[in-house]
């Protein structure tokens, strides 16, 4: 498995922006071969898909609930992915997790948690109204 560390969360007001980062430690995998993504879990709710990106960074998929406000990107030279979150709403309050695909498969943008095998510890995002 792969070690991932998220950062960038915090307490903001509705309408603010945040950028989350997720750094991946070197492993036996070639970072640019693997799709990665962001999920979130709000209190009392199941973990849900937010966005994912293919290895090259030229294909992405974003949940309908955040489309047009959240953007995923990656910088392979730094083994890092990002989640830019704009115009945040209180319902974005959650712990945000980054994950990496279990295999270098063809990117389909399904947002399926079963495609992932490693997760970070999460970073808390709290949006006040």
């Amino acid at each position: 498995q792969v070690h991932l560390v998220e950062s960038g969360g915090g307490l903001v007001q509705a309408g603010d922006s945040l950028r989350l980062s997720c750094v991946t430690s070197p492993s036996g995998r070639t970072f640019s071969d693997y799709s990665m993504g962001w999920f979130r879990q709000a209190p009392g709710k199941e973990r849900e898909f937010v966005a994912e990106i293919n290895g090259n960074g030229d294909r992405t998929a974003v949940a309908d609930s955040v489309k047009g406000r959240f953007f995923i990107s990656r910088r392979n030279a730094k083994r890092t992915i990002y989640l830019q979150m704009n115009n945040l709403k209180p319902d974005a309050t959650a712990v945000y997790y980054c994950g990496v695909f279990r295999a270098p498969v063809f990117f389909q943008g399904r947002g399926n948690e079963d495609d992932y095998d490693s997760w970070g510890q999460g970073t808390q995002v709290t949006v006040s109204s």
Side-chain angles (χ1 to χ4, degrees):
Q1 291 199 335
V2 178
H3 183 61
L4 305 99
V5 178
E6 303 96 335
S7 62
L11 172 63
V12 298
Q13 294 186 330
D16 286 350
S17 297
L18 273 178
R19 188 176 83 154
L20 306 183
S21 299
C22 172
V23 180
T24 304
S25 296
S27 69
R29 302 182 184 182
T30 300
F31 181 77
S32 59
D33 285 347
Y34 287 77
S35 297
M36 295 187 66
W38 291 94
F39 284 66
R40 67 186 180 185
Q41 187 166 21
K45 294 188 176 181
E46 303 260 330
R47 187 153 64 178
E48 65 174 3
F49 167 71
V50 177
E52 63 189 15
I53 187 168
N54 72 338
N56 289 335
D58 59 356
R59 296 186 66 192
T60 63
V62 181
D64 287 343
S65 60
V66 301
K67 196 167 290 183
R69 297 185 298 116
F70 288 20
F71 302 91
I72 187 171
S73 61
R74 66 191 293 161
R75 191 166 178 182
N76 287 342
K78 293 196 170 187
R79 294 192 309 278
T80 302
I81 69 168
Y82 306 95
L83 184 68
Q84 177 66 42
M85 305 186 293
N86 300 327
N87 189 21
L88 281 160
K89 302 178 181 180
D91 64 3
T93 295
V95 177
Y96 284 71
Y97 299 91
C98 70
V100 61
F101 269 43
R102 66 179 69 251
V105 297
F106 179 73
F107 182 81
Q108 294 181 289
R110 301 186 304 170
N112 189 335
E113 197 169 339
D114 291 339
D115 289 333
Y116 296 76
D117 73 343
S118 298
W119 299 93
Q121 82 290 346
T123 186
Q124 176 71 46
V125 172
T126 303
V127 184
S128 64
S129 57

